[in-house]
Amino acid sequence: MREEITRLMSLQVIDRQLQELEQSLSSIAGRVEQLRGQTEQNQAELTRLTEDDKQIALNRKKTEKELAEGEARIRNKRMRLNLVRNDKELQALAHEVDSLKDNNQRLEAEALALMEGQEARTQRIEELAKAVVASKTELAAAEKEIAGQVEELRGSIAKKRLEREKISAEIPGNLLQRYDIIFSRRAGLAVANSTGGTCQGCRMRLPPQLFNEIQKHLQIHFCPNCQRILYFEP
Ligand SMILES: [Zn+2]
């Protein structure tokens, strides 16, 4: 049994190292991920704003053209007003001029509304374009910087996994399974010392009979409170 406990303790050491290595890997990769997300977000906003800007410019052009056409039509009608003598026709023409004027006023308001915010939009587009270039440069530098570290960490993780496989092959399947569950549920402490008659995992005082049994190391014992695998080492 002593051997089994020793194997479990070694396994726990390896598993903790693995956990640390994996955490370093994910925190290193996390920084690059964050930079990548930032770049993508800026790029997306830039694309959207540029599209908007193009569409607004098109609308402005169209509105201005309609305005010019409206003005030409008004001039035309006014010239005819000077030539017409018939009252009924005069009234009809005057009415047409009024409605053309109304329409032009509406178009002018539209053109103004389209012009509004143009400056802010142009400025934001410039800002975003600069930000995209900057974050792409930063991202490339960060990727280059961590490439070596990532490689090294992956190598260490692969080595540790092999070590783990070797040791766990020598542990009975059901015990290993139980260990794995406790390790993941009990914050990386699955095998705990019972020194002083207390489970060092959860600090519970163990029944004296159980503590005696643990010290003999004749079989595997579990803490009645936290289920951790217990051993004794004074
Ligand atoms: Zn316990």
Side-chain angles (χ1 to χ4, degrees), residues 7 15 17 34 43 109 123 125 144 162 215:
R7 277 188 205 117
D15 277 344
Q17 288 165 341
Q34 199 191 347
Q43 182 63 63
Q123 204 184 339
I125 286 173
K144 202 174 155 192
L162 274 179
Q215 291 178 76

Side-chain angles (χ1 to χ4, degrees), residues 199 201-202 223 225-226 228:
C199 165
C202 70
C223 168
N225 183 46
C226 69
R228 283 185 175 95

Side-chain angles (χ1 to χ4, degrees), residues 192 199-204 206 222-228 230:
C199 165
Q200 298 300 310
C202 70
R203 305 272 155 200
M204 194 197 80
L206 300 163
F222 301 91
C223 168
N225 183 46
C226 69
Q227 319 305 323
R228 283 185 175 95
L230 293 171

Side-chain angles (χ1 to χ4, degrees), residues 66-92:
E66 278 173 19
L67 246 176
E69 282 167 1
E71 270 157 17
R73 234 174 269 140
I74 292 171
R75 273 198 303 277
N76 209 304
K77 300 276 176 199
R78 277 194 176 133
M79 279 200 308
R80 277 183 59 199
L81 265 176
N82 294 329
L83 305 171
V84 170
R85 294 286 170 259
N86 178 321
D87 266 358
K88 216 173 166 187
E89 213 177 322
L90 261 176
Q91 245 181 352

Side-chain angles (χ1 to χ4, degrees), residues 1-2 4 10 26 36-38 49 67-68 76 78-79 123 136 143-144 149 155 160-161 166 175 188 192 204 209 232:
M1 262 332 113
R2 262 195 184 284
E4 209 136 81
S10 310
S26 82
R36 190 171 293 139
Q38 176 90 54
L49 265 186
L67 246 176
N76 209 304
R78 277 194 176 133
M79 279 200 308
Q123 204 184 339
K136 272 184 182 165
E143 271 171 345
K144 202 174 155 192
Q149 283 171 278
K160 283 279 157 217
R161 289 219 173 108
K166 237 166 126 187
L175 183 60
M204 194 197 80
Q209 180 63 28
F232 174 73

